[in-house]
Amino acid sequence: MYDGLESPGRNDDCWCGSGKKYKKCHLEFDRKLQALYDSGEEILGRDLLKTAEDIEGIKASAKVNIGSLDYVAEHIKEGVTTAEIDKWVYDYCVERGAIPADLDYEGFPKSVCTSINNVVCHGIPSEEDVLKNGDIINVDMSTILDGYYSDSSRMFCIGDVDDEWKRLVEVTHESVKAGLATVKPWIHLGDVSAAVNKVASDAGFSVVAEFGGHGIGLDFHEDPFVSFVAQAGTGPILVPGMCFTIEPMVNLGGSAIDMNDPNGWTVRTADGSPSAQWEVQLVVTETGYELLSW
Ligand code: MF3
Ligand code: CO
């Protein structure tokens, strides 16, 4: 078949775990995807599609992830250090039997990414970073519960933030909502990318090309890579059961980034301008999408 995996016989159990016969379950679905594949479309493997049981597991993980960000939202203010935020989310997670997915991920030393002002992503929490009036900060949290992954991030404005910076934060949030609104089966992933990019670009901002969203669920970063500079009509076809994030990084100035921090993680804008990011996690459904983490 289109993904190199065998398909069951018509009267055998479907590959999706529904317990239904293949002919009554995903047979038509597979025929449709095979035809799209034969016409040259990019089709992702069925092994990425989440079962109903997977979705329940991801939702339980996301409940902790969302709760930890809600906790941050209630307590973040001028004078707080990013090391304190790290402790808040670590405690919140482990008290609920979960593990912060960032901790020790490829050597990342903390439980959450805290990216202030010109930091694009992967800021490392530190005692030295004290939030001050006028800062904007992205808090990007990811959780593992019973082997299921969730991932979302939010922006916070500290005190009186410059109007143009506030507009950057708001437009970036709108761009994510515009991307979400396009999500439904049988479109191209690039249609989502283009919807996100248009909102940011029309507002005069620039979108980072080097980073994007990702599939997620049974692992932290699964296929597909979700670019926010891809064209409509390109990339893989979306089908029910695909689970991925929308998480554009949008800069007030140019799109170029600086990845030379000696800590190996912190990414900054090349021109020093501020950068914003919001992240949501979703699953594609029969009719559109369901939001899983925010
Ligand atoms: N949470 C980030 C994402 O959205 C990944 C951070 S990886 C880390 O995909 F190691 F920096 F924590
Ligand atoms: Co992510």
Side-chain angles (χ1 to χ4, degrees):
M1 296 291 284
Y2 53 84
D3 59 2
L5 300 172
E6 289 296 318
S7 280
R10 295 176 54 80
N11 292 313
D12 294 340
D13 285 351
C14 188
W15 51 259
C16 77
S18 64
K20 291 192 217 160
K21 288 190 177 186
Y22 182 49
K23 67 182 177 192
K24 297 251 181 208
C25 199
H26 275 90
L27 177 62
E28 279 312 313
F29 171 95
D30 281 345
R31 285 202 175 138
K32 190 165 171 178
L33 282 184
Q34 185 66 45
L36 285 165
Y37 178 82
D38 291 340
S39 73
E41 297 288 358
E42 185 184 339
I43 309 296
L44 296 175
R46 279 170 282 185
D47 51 349
L48 290 171
L49 303 182
K50 306 301 181 270
T51 65
E53 189 187 339
D54 293 336
I55 300 299
E56 288 316 305
I58 294 168
K59 280 183 178 169
S61 171
K63 189 176 174 209
V64 178
N65 208 61
I66 294 162
S68 71
L69 286 175
D70 287 347
Y71 185 93
V72 172
E74 282 160 26
H75 295 87
I76 197 167
K77 59 174 201 280
E78 187 179 347
V80 161
T81 69
T82 52
E84 288 174 76
I85 298 172
D86 184 67
K87 179 163 168 35
W88 295 344
V89 298
Y90 176 83
D91 289 347
Y92 189 95
C93 254
V94 298
E95 281 164 15
R96 287 158 184 81
I99 307 166
D102 286 0
L103 192 57
D104 292 331
Y105 174 77
E106 294 187 3
F108 192 79
K110 298 285 182 182
S111 295
V112 64
C113 295
T114 48
S115 302
I116 304 172
N117 299 339
N118 64 325
V119 175
V120 173
C121 64
H122 303 165
I124 303 175
S126 157
E127 306 279 355
E128 319 275 283
D129 290 330
V130 185
L131 292 177
K132 58 184 194 307
N133 186 50
D135 281 346
I136 60 171
I137 178 174
N138 173 275
V139 179
D140 187 342
M141 184 63 191
S142 312
T143 296
I144 315 171
L145 181 69
D146 296 332
Y148 292 105
Y149 287 74
S150 54
D151 184 11
S152 52
S153 80
R154 303 183 199 165
M155 294 298 297
F156 301 99
C157 291
I158 308 300
D160 310 308
V161 169
D162 175 89
D163 281 346
E164 192 62 356
W165 291 33
K166 257 196 256 174
R167 193 171 72 89
L168 173 71
V169 169
E170 282 155 19
V171 164
T172 305
H173 203 187
E174 290 309 312
S175 78
V176 169
K177 292 179 195 165
L180 266 178
T182 65
V183 174
K184 60 179 181 188
W186 312 110
I187 67 169
H188 290 87
L189 183 59
D191 302 340
V192 181
S193 316
V196 170
N197 192 296
K198 183 172 177 4
V199 172
S201 302
D202 285 357
F205 302 134
S206 57
V207 179
V208 171
E210 291 87 343
F211 293 95
H214 50 93
I216 176 167
L218 304 183
D219 206 344
F220 197 174
H221 296 113
E222 301 175 350
D223 279 343
F225 173 68
V226 184
S227 166
F228 300 105
V229 296
Q231 305 292 310
T234 67
I237 302 288
L238 300 191
V239 300
M242 280 178 64
C243 183
F244 62 89
T245 69
I246 299 180
E247 52 173 314
M249 297 164 203
V250 180
N251 300 346
L252 195 144
S255 63
I257 59 173
D258 170 6
M259 296 207 277
N260 296 316
D261 192 296
N263 72 22
W265 284 103
T266 310
V267 178
R268 293 183 181 78
T269 56
D271 61 11
S273 73
S275 184
Q277 179 183 29
W278 293 79
E279 174 176 20
V280 297
Q281 177 180 355
L282 63 93
V283 60
V284 180
T285 63
E286 296 295 331
T287 51
Y289 68 89
E290 184 178 0
L291 206 49
L292 298 176
S293 191
W294 58 86

